[in-house]
Amino acid sequence: AVRISDAVGVSVTNCTFEHLGGGGVHVGNRSRSVEVVGSRFFRPGQSGVVMTGNGSAQAQRVLVENCSFDRPGTILASAAGIIGSTVSYSTFRANRILNSSRWGIAVRSNGLAASIGNTIELNRIEGAGQSSRDLGGISLCSGGPTRGTGTVVRSNCVKDMVGTDTNDQGELLRPFFTWSVYLDNNSSGFTVEGNVLSGNVNGGLFFHGGADNTVRNNVFARTSGFAPGASEPGDYGWYHAASVQYAKLSPLVHGGNNSVLRNVVLVTSNQSAWSLNAPFNASTPELAAVDRNLYYS
Protein backbone atom coordinates (compact mmCIF):
# COMPACT_ATOMS: atom_id res chain seq x y z
CA ALA A 1 0.00 0.00 0.00
CA VAL A 2 2.84 2.40 0.84
CA ARG A 3 6.28 2.12 -0.76
CA ILE A 4 9.19 4.13 0.69
CA SER A 5 12.21 4.12 -1.63
CA ASP A 6 15.49 6.08 -1.42
CA ALA A 7 13.88 8.32 1.19
CA VAL A 8 14.96 9.84 4.51
CA GLY A 9 12.87 10.91 7.48
CA VAL A 10 9.47 9.44 6.58
CA SER A 11 6.82 8.84 9.25
CA VAL A 12 3.76 6.61 8.86
CA THR A 13 1.66 7.25 11.96
CA ASN A 14 -1.77 6.10 13.15
CA CYS A 15 -2.71 4.58 9.80
CA THR A 16 -4.95 1.59 9.09
CA PHE A 17 -4.20 -1.05 6.44
CA GLU A 18 -7.02 -3.56 5.86
CA HIS A 19 -7.63 -6.53 3.55
CA LEU A 20 -4.72 -5.88 1.20
CA GLY A 21 -3.67 -8.24 -1.56
CA GLY A 22 -0.04 -7.35 -0.88
CA GLY A 23 1.82 -5.94 2.11
CA GLY A 24 1.29 -2.79 4.13
CA VAL A 25 4.50 -0.70 4.16
CA HIS A 26 7.60 -1.50 2.06
CA VAL A 27 10.85 0.24 3.03
CA GLY A 28 13.86 -0.22 0.75
CA ASN A 29 16.44 1.17 -1.66
CA ARG A 30 18.70 2.92 0.88
CA SER A 31 15.82 4.44 2.86
CA ARG A 32 16.68 5.41 6.41
CA SER A 33 15.20 7.10 9.48
CA VAL A 34 11.73 5.75 8.72
CA GLU A 35 9.04 5.38 11.42
CA VAL A 36 5.91 3.22 11.34
CA VAL A 37 4.14 4.01 14.60
CA GLY A 38 0.72 3.36 16.13
CA SER A 39 -0.69 1.77 12.98
CA ARG A 40 -3.03 -1.17 12.44
CA PHE A 41 -2.55 -3.94 9.90
CA PHE A 42 -5.63 -6.14 9.56
CA ARG A 43 -5.47 -9.23 7.33
CA PRO A 44 -2.87 -8.02 4.81
CA GLY A 45 -2.31 -10.57 2.06
CA GLN A 46 1.46 -10.47 2.63
CA SER A 47 3.62 -9.04 5.44
CA GLY A 48 2.64 -5.95 7.38
CA VAL A 49 5.97 -4.07 7.26
CA VAL A 50 8.62 -5.23 4.80
CA MET A 51 12.23 -4.00 4.59
CA THR A 52 14.39 -5.08 1.64
CA GLY A 53 17.84 -4.47 0.26
CA ASN A 54 21.38 -5.78 0.08
CA GLY A 55 24.69 -4.69 1.57
CA SER A 56 24.69 -1.31 -0.16
CA ALA A 57 20.96 -0.65 -0.52
CA GLN A 58 19.47 -1.99 2.70
CA ALA A 59 17.02 -0.06 4.83
CA GLN A 60 18.54 1.37 8.02
CA ARG A 61 17.29 3.04 11.21
CA VAL A 62 13.71 1.91 10.82
CA LEU A 63 11.40 2.10 13.85
CA VAL A 64 8.25 -0.04 13.99
CA GLU A 65 6.56 0.68 17.31
CA ASN A 66 3.21 0.20 18.99
CA CYS A 67 1.56 -1.33 15.92
CA SER A 68 -0.95 -4.17 15.75
CA PHE A 69 -0.81 -6.93 13.16
CA ASP A 70 -3.80 -9.27 12.89
CA ARG A 71 -3.48 -12.33 10.60
CA PRO A 72 -0.75 -11.09 8.25
CA GLY A 73 -0.14 -13.38 5.28
CA THR A 74 -3.69 -14.33 4.34
CA ILE A 75 -2.49 -14.90 0.74
CA LEU A 76 1.28 -15.50 1.06
CA ALA A 77 2.10 -18.37 3.42
CA SER A 78 5.70 -17.24 4.00
CA ALA A 79 4.88 -13.86 5.53
CA ALA A 80 5.32 -12.04 8.84
CA GLY A 81 4.02 -9.13 10.80
CA ILE A 82 7.45 -7.49 10.41
CA ILE A 83 10.13 -8.85 8.06
CA GLY A 84 13.47 -7.56 6.85
CA SER A 85 15.67 -9.15 4.24
CA THR A 86 18.73 -7.16 5.28
CA VAL A 87 17.98 -4.26 7.64
CA SER A 88 20.31 -2.69 10.19
CA TYR A 89 20.31 -0.38 13.23
CA SER A 90 16.55 -0.69 13.47
CA THR A 91 14.12 -1.15 16.37
CA PHE A 92 10.92 -3.20 16.48
CA ARG A 93 9.25 -2.40 19.79
CA ALA A 94 5.97 -2.94 21.62
CA ASN A 95 4.06 -4.43 18.69
CA ARG A 96 1.27 -7.03 18.92
CA ILE A 97 1.31 -9.69 16.22
CA LEU A 98 -1.48 -12.28 16.11
CA ASN A 99 -1.93 -15.41 13.96
CA SER A 100 0.58 -14.71 11.21
CA SER A 101 0.92 -17.19 8.37
CA ARG A 102 4.56 -17.86 9.24
CA TRP A 103 6.74 -15.62 11.43
CA GLY A 104 5.86 -12.91 13.88
CA ILE A 105 9.11 -10.98 13.35
CA ALA A 106 11.81 -12.18 10.95
CA VAL A 107 15.16 -10.47 10.34
CA ARG A 108 16.88 -12.35 7.55
CA SER A 109 19.81 -11.85 5.21
CA ASN A 110 20.30 -11.27 1.50
CA GLY A 111 23.22 -13.41 0.39
CA LEU A 112 26.33 -12.34 2.28
CA ALA A 113 24.86 -8.97 3.26
CA ALA A 114 24.44 -8.79 7.03
CA SER A 115 21.66 -7.42 9.20
CA ILE A 116 23.35 -5.86 12.24
CA GLY A 117 22.66 -3.71 15.26
CA ASN A 118 18.91 -4.35 15.50
CA THR A 119 16.74 -4.38 18.64
CA ILE A 120 13.60 -6.51 18.98
CA GLU A 121 11.93 -5.77 22.30
CA LEU A 122 8.66 -5.71 24.22
CA ASN A 123 6.65 -7.36 21.45
CA ARG A 124 3.83 -9.85 21.99
CA ILE A 125 3.61 -12.56 19.34
CA GLU A 126 0.88 -15.21 19.44
CA GLY A 127 -0.29 -17.97 17.13
CA ALA A 128 2.38 -17.74 14.41
CA GLY A 129 2.67 -20.51 11.84
CA GLN A 130 -0.94 -20.66 10.69
CA SER A 131 0.03 -21.68 7.12
CA SER A 132 3.67 -22.83 7.28
CA ARG A 133 6.24 -24.69 9.35
CA ASP A 134 9.97 -24.66 10.22
CA LEU A 135 9.78 -21.32 11.98
CA GLY A 136 10.19 -19.32 15.12
CA GLY A 137 7.87 -16.61 16.33
CA ILE A 138 11.05 -14.53 16.20
CA SER A 139 13.32 -15.85 13.45
CA LEU A 140 16.82 -14.47 12.87
CA CYS A 141 19.55 -15.03 10.31
CA SER A 142 22.72 -12.96 10.46
CA GLY A 143 23.91 -13.58 6.93
CA GLY A 144 27.04 -15.27 5.60
CA PRO A 145 29.93 -15.85 8.01
CA THR A 146 29.14 -12.69 10.02
CA ARG A 147 29.94 -12.73 13.73
CA GLY A 148 29.12 -10.03 16.21
CA THR A 149 25.83 -8.83 14.75
CA GLY A 150 25.05 -6.91 17.92
CA THR A 151 21.34 -7.65 17.62
CA VAL A 152 19.35 -7.92 20.88
CA VAL A 153 16.08 -9.82 21.39
CA ARG A 154 14.79 -8.59 24.74
CA SER A 155 11.66 -8.76 26.89
CA ASN A 156 9.30 -10.23 24.31
CA CYS A 157 6.41 -12.63 24.93
CA VAL A 158 6.29 -15.35 22.27
CA LYS A 159 3.30 -17.63 22.80
CA ASP A 160 1.72 -20.66 21.09
CA MET A 161 3.68 -21.14 17.87
CA VAL A 162 1.51 -23.46 15.81
CA GLY A 163 3.07 -24.63 12.54
CA THR A 164 1.21 -26.38 9.71
CA ASP A 165 2.16 -29.00 7.13
CA THR A 166 0.81 -32.12 5.42
CA ASN A 167 2.24 -35.63 5.20
CA ASP A 168 2.61 -37.81 2.09
CA GLN A 169 -1.03 -38.87 2.40
CA GLY A 170 -2.22 -35.27 2.41
CA GLU A 171 -3.23 -35.37 6.07
CA LEU A 172 -2.93 -32.11 7.99
CA LEU A 173 -0.11 -31.94 10.56
CA ARG A 174 -0.93 -29.22 13.04
CA PRO A 175 0.78 -28.08 15.22
CA PHE A 176 4.09 -28.95 13.55
CA PHE A 177 7.81 -28.07 13.70
CA THR A 178 8.04 -24.74 15.56
CA TRP A 179 10.22 -22.97 18.09
CA SER A 180 9.74 -19.67 19.89
CA VAL A 181 13.11 -18.14 18.90
CA TYR A 182 14.97 -19.52 15.87
CA LEU A 183 18.62 -18.56 15.27
CA ASP A 184 18.95 -19.85 11.72
CA ASN A 185 21.82 -20.66 9.36
CA ASN A 186 24.85 -20.06 11.58
CA SER A 187 23.39 -16.95 13.20
CA SER A 188 26.06 -15.47 15.44
CA GLY A 189 26.49 -12.64 17.89
CA PHE A 190 22.91 -12.42 19.18
CA THR A 191 21.74 -11.70 22.72
CA VAL A 192 18.41 -13.27 23.71
CA GLU A 193 17.43 -12.07 27.18
CA GLY A 194 14.45 -11.56 29.45
CA ASN A 195 11.89 -13.17 27.14
CA VAL A 196 8.90 -15.36 28.05
CA LEU A 197 8.75 -18.24 25.57
CA SER A 198 5.66 -20.37 25.99
CA GLY A 199 3.97 -22.91 23.75
CA ASN A 200 5.63 -24.49 20.72
CA VAL A 201 6.20 -27.93 19.25
CA ASN A 202 9.95 -28.48 19.37
CA GLY A 203 11.41 -26.19 22.01
CA GLY A 204 11.77 -22.62 23.11
CA LEU A 205 15.04 -21.98 21.31
CA PHE A 206 16.90 -23.35 18.30
CA PHE A 207 20.61 -22.75 17.64
CA HIS A 208 21.10 -23.72 14.00
CA GLY A 209 24.87 -23.53 14.18
CA GLY A 210 26.45 -20.17 14.87
CA ALA A 211 28.73 -18.74 17.52
CA ASP A 212 29.03 -16.12 20.25
CA ASN A 213 25.34 -16.12 21.16
CA THR A 214 24.18 -15.37 24.71
CA VAL A 215 20.83 -16.64 26.00
CA ARG A 216 20.09 -15.45 29.54
CA ASN A 217 17.32 -14.65 32.01
CA ASN A 218 14.53 -16.14 29.87
CA VAL A 219 11.54 -18.25 30.92
CA PHE A 220 10.84 -21.40 28.89
CA ALA A 221 7.38 -22.83 29.62
CA ARG A 222 4.92 -25.21 27.94
CA THR A 223 7.43 -26.01 25.27
CA SER A 224 7.52 -29.23 23.29
CA GLY A 225 4.24 -30.51 21.86
CA PHE A 226 2.13 -27.82 23.52
CA ALA A 227 -1.22 -28.79 22.00
CA PRO A 228 -3.11 -32.00 21.26
CA GLY A 229 -2.36 -33.49 17.87
CA ALA A 230 1.28 -32.45 17.74
CA SER A 231 3.26 -34.49 15.24
CA GLU A 232 5.29 -37.45 16.47
CA PRO A 233 9.09 -37.14 16.74
CA GLY A 234 10.72 -38.02 13.45
CA ASP A 235 12.58 -36.33 10.65
CA TYR A 236 11.30 -32.95 11.78
CA GLY A 237 10.77 -33.52 15.47
CA TRP A 238 12.92 -33.00 18.57
CA TYR A 239 11.18 -32.65 21.88
CA HIS A 240 12.84 -30.74 24.68
CA ALA A 241 11.81 -28.00 27.04
CA ALA A 242 14.44 -25.65 25.62
CA SER A 243 16.31 -26.98 22.63
CA VAL A 244 19.89 -26.00 21.97
CA GLN A 245 20.40 -27.90 18.77
CA TYR A 246 23.16 -27.73 16.31
CA ALA A 247 23.82 -28.11 12.65
CA LYS A 248 27.14 -26.56 11.74
CA LEU A 249 26.32 -25.78 8.13
CA SER A 250 29.79 -25.08 6.82
CA PRO A 251 33.34 -25.92 7.94
CA LEU A 252 34.17 -22.29 7.16
CA VAL A 253 31.88 -21.03 9.92
CA HIS A 254 32.88 -21.50 13.54
CA GLY A 255 30.12 -22.90 15.70
CA GLY A 256 30.65 -22.46 19.40
CA ASN A 257 31.13 -20.13 22.34
CA ASN A 258 27.39 -20.01 22.96
CA SER A 259 26.24 -19.40 26.53
CA VAL A 260 22.95 -20.37 28.17
CA LEU A 261 22.76 -18.70 31.58
CA ARG A 262 20.29 -17.94 34.40
CA ASN A 263 17.17 -19.13 32.60
CA VAL A 264 14.06 -20.67 34.17
CA VAL A 265 13.08 -23.91 32.45
CA LEU A 266 9.78 -25.61 33.26
CA VAL A 267 10.18 -29.29 32.40
CA THR A 268 7.25 -31.64 31.89
CA SER A 269 7.39 -35.42 32.14
CA ASN A 270 9.55 -37.37 29.68
CA GLN A 271 11.29 -34.18 28.59
CA SER A 272 14.95 -33.27 28.60
CA ALA A 273 15.82 -29.71 29.50
CA TRP A 274 18.51 -29.07 26.89
CA SER A 275 19.15 -31.06 23.76
CA LEU A 276 22.74 -30.83 22.60
CA ASN A 277 22.39 -33.15 19.64
CA ALA A 278 23.72 -32.35 16.20
CA PRO A 279 21.10 -33.21 13.55
CA PHE A 280 21.77 -33.62 9.84
CA ASN A 281 25.10 -35.38 10.54
CA ALA A 282 26.62 -32.15 11.75
CA SER A 283 29.65 -31.93 13.99
CA THR A 284 29.36 -32.11 17.77
CA PRO A 285 27.93 -28.92 19.27
CA GLU A 286 30.16 -26.62 21.24
CA LEU A 287 28.88 -24.52 24.15
CA ALA A 288 30.80 -22.06 26.28
CA ALA A 289 28.50 -22.48 29.28
CA VAL A 290 25.20 -23.90 30.43
CA ASP A 291 25.13 -22.60 33.98
CA ARG A 292 23.03 -21.15 36.79
CA ASN A 293 19.73 -22.16 35.21
CA LEU A 294 16.72 -23.13 37.32
CA TYR A 295 14.88 -26.29 36.27
CA TYR A 296 11.42 -26.94 37.66
CA SER A 297 9.19 -29.93 36.99
Side-chain angles (χ1 to χ4, degrees), residues 64-80:
V64 183
E65 184 175 40
N66 197 30
C67 295
S68 66
F69 301 84
D70 192 344
R71 284 167 279 183
T74 56
I75 294 174
L76 179 66
S78 192

Side-chain angles (χ1 to χ4, degrees), residues 6-49:
D6 203 10
V8 179
V10 177
S11 180
V12 178
T13 305
N14 297 329
C15 296
T16 297
F17 301 84
E18 292 188 355
H19 297 287
L20 305 174
V25 178
H26 178 194
V27 185
N29 192 27
R30 297 182 300 275
S31 294
R32 61 189 187 276
S33 300
V34 173
E35 296 183 352
V36 182
V37 177
S39 295
R40 176 176 178 260
F41 299 81
F42 181 72
R43 296 180 67 91
Q46 299 184 32
S47 299
V49 177

Side-chain angles (χ1 to χ4, degrees), residues 81-219:
I82 302 168
I83 185 168
S85 66
T86 315
V87 58
S88 293
Y89 309 115
S90 296
T91 299
F92 312 124
R93 178 190 296 131
N95 301 287
R96 188 167 183 254
I97 304 173
L98 301 178
N99 301 323
S100 59
S101 61
R102 191 168 190 186
W103 309 285
I105 297 174
V107 177
R108 313 297 294 170
S109 58
N110 186 353
L112 296 179
S115 296
I116 61 176
N118 296 301
T119 300
I120 301 170
E121 63 182 3
L122 298 169
N123 301 284
R124 186 176 183 89
I125 300 170
E126 295 185 42
Q130 294 292 327
S131 304
S132 185
R133 53 94 165 160
D134 189 9
L135 61 96
I138 298 175
S139 186
L140 305 164
C141 182
S142 56
T146 301
R147 295 176 68 174
T149 59
T151 288
V152 177
V153 179
R154 176 173 53 217
S155 302
N156 302 280
C157 176
V158 183
K159 182 179 179 182
D160 294 350
M161 301 300 99
V162 182
T164 304
D165 203 353
T166 56
N167 61 19
D168 292 341
Q169 289 73 47
E171 297 169 329
L172 186 66
L173 303 176
R174 179 182 172 90
F176 187 76
F177 199 28
T178 64
W179 288 266
S180 292
V181 176
Y182 198 136
L183 301 180
D184 201 5
N185 291 351
N186 290 314
S187 287
S188 301
F190 289 87
T191 299
V192 180
E193 63 181 2
N195 302 282
V196 176
L197 309 176
S198 172
N200 46 66
V201 181
N202 295 75
L205 170 73
F206 185 26
F207 283 145
H208 197 192
D212 306 325
N213 297 297
T214 300
V215 178
R216 64 190 175 208
N217 298 335
N218 302 282
V219 175

Side-chain angles (χ1 to χ4, degrees), residues 247-265:
K248 191 186 293 186
L249 302 182
S250 167
L252 300 178
V253 179
H254 171 69
N257 195 37
N258 296 293
S259 298
V260 183
L261 304 168
R262 298 192 301 273
N263 300 281
V264 175
V265 184

Side-chain angles (χ1 to χ4, degrees), residues 220 223 239-244 265-267 271-276 295:
F220 297 89
T223 60
Y239 290 83
H240 312 278
S243 294
V244 184
V265 184
L266 305 182
V267 182
Q271 235 181 13
S272 55
W274 304 105
S275 166
L276 305 182
Y295 305 99

